[in-house]
Amino acid sequence: GPELYDAFSKTKDKHPDAKLIIVGCSPDIKDSRVEIVGRIPVIQTAAYYRRSSFFCMPTKREPFGVVFVEAMLNRLAVVATNIGAVPDFVMKGRNGITVNVGDIEALKNALEFMFDNPVKCMEMGNNAFEFAKENYTWEAVGKKISKEIRKRFNAAFQTP
């Protein structure tokens, strides 16, 4: 929260028209470039993904982060912290950027990279979608589980 706003506020000189949309909480921020949405029903989140160029959540404690996969399935590049499983699915330059927890300067640089490179940002969003679709949809996970069950079942009933 506060670190994202700190990093975003440092982009003002270079990107005065950039906008930060905060969904899920309601911090006390008075800034014309920030839209505070607060808590909303899950069904409404897709509308905010569609309005966005990329997704950023510099979490300090997230072990996996389903929200990152949701963003990817909405064709958004991701800016995140490199903790937990996040580096397993946010691959620098391919579908997003990771930064160290608490590194506001690196976070600002990641935001500016996305603002400065809209074509690359869209490309990373498309890569994110393909990666999430191949690895994190129910269909993809079901196929992987089915394959593993079949492999183990066949191995258990083979005669030596």
Side-chain angles (χ1 to χ4, degrees):
E3 291 171 357
L4 174 56
Y5 178 69
D6 287 348
F8 178 75
S9 66
K10 291 179 180 193
T11 69
K12 188 172 188 169
D13 290 340
K14 192 171 180 186
H15 299 279
D17 295 331
K19 186 167 193 123
L20 174 63
I21 303 171
I22 300 175
V23 176
C25 64
S26 299
D28 186 22
I29 296 173
K30 306 292 185 238
D31 185 327
S32 62
R33 298 186 330 140
V34 179
E35 177 182 344
I36 308 290
V37 177
R39 291 184 167 278
I40 58 173
V42 172
I43 194 77
Q44 293 177 8
T45 59
Y48 291 96
Y49 286 130
R50 284 192 299 271
R51 289 180 55 198
S52 301
S53 300
F54 61 93
F55 178 82
C56 180
M57 188 173 85
T59 183
K60 294 180 179 182
R61 294 185 179 93
E62 192 68 48
F64 179 79
V66 171
V67 70
F68 298 114
V69 175
E70 290 173 358
M72 291 174 154
L73 287 169
N74 280 277
R75 295 188 183 275
L76 295 177
V78 172
V79 176
T81 43
N82 57 3
I83 63 167
V86 174
D88 294 338
F89 54 84
V90 178
M91 293 155 278
K92 185 175 183 178
R94 180 166 179 247
N95 62 6
I97 300 170
T98 58
V99 299
N100 290 329
V101 172
D103 190 340
I104 294 171
E105 187 66 19
L107 185 56
K108 177 200 72 109
N109 292 340
L111 298 176
E112 287 188 340
F113 178 86
M114 295 296 189
F115 295 146
D116 290 341
N117 299 284
V119 172
K120 180 65 175 172
C121 184
M122 286 178 60
E123 178 185 310
M124 287 193 291
N126 288 329
N127 291 341
F129 173 76
E130 292 300 325
F131 179 79
K133 185 176 78 170
E134 291 171 14
N135 293 283
Y136 295 108
T137 62
W138 283 114
E139 183 179 353
V141 171
K143 284 180 182 178
K144 289 178 183 181
I145 291 171
S146 176
K147 182 179 176 182
E148 188 64 26
I149 288 171
R150 290 176 200 281
K151 184 174 88 175
R152 289 176 186 239
F153 181 81
N154 289 337
F157 290 101
Q158 285 183 353
T159 54

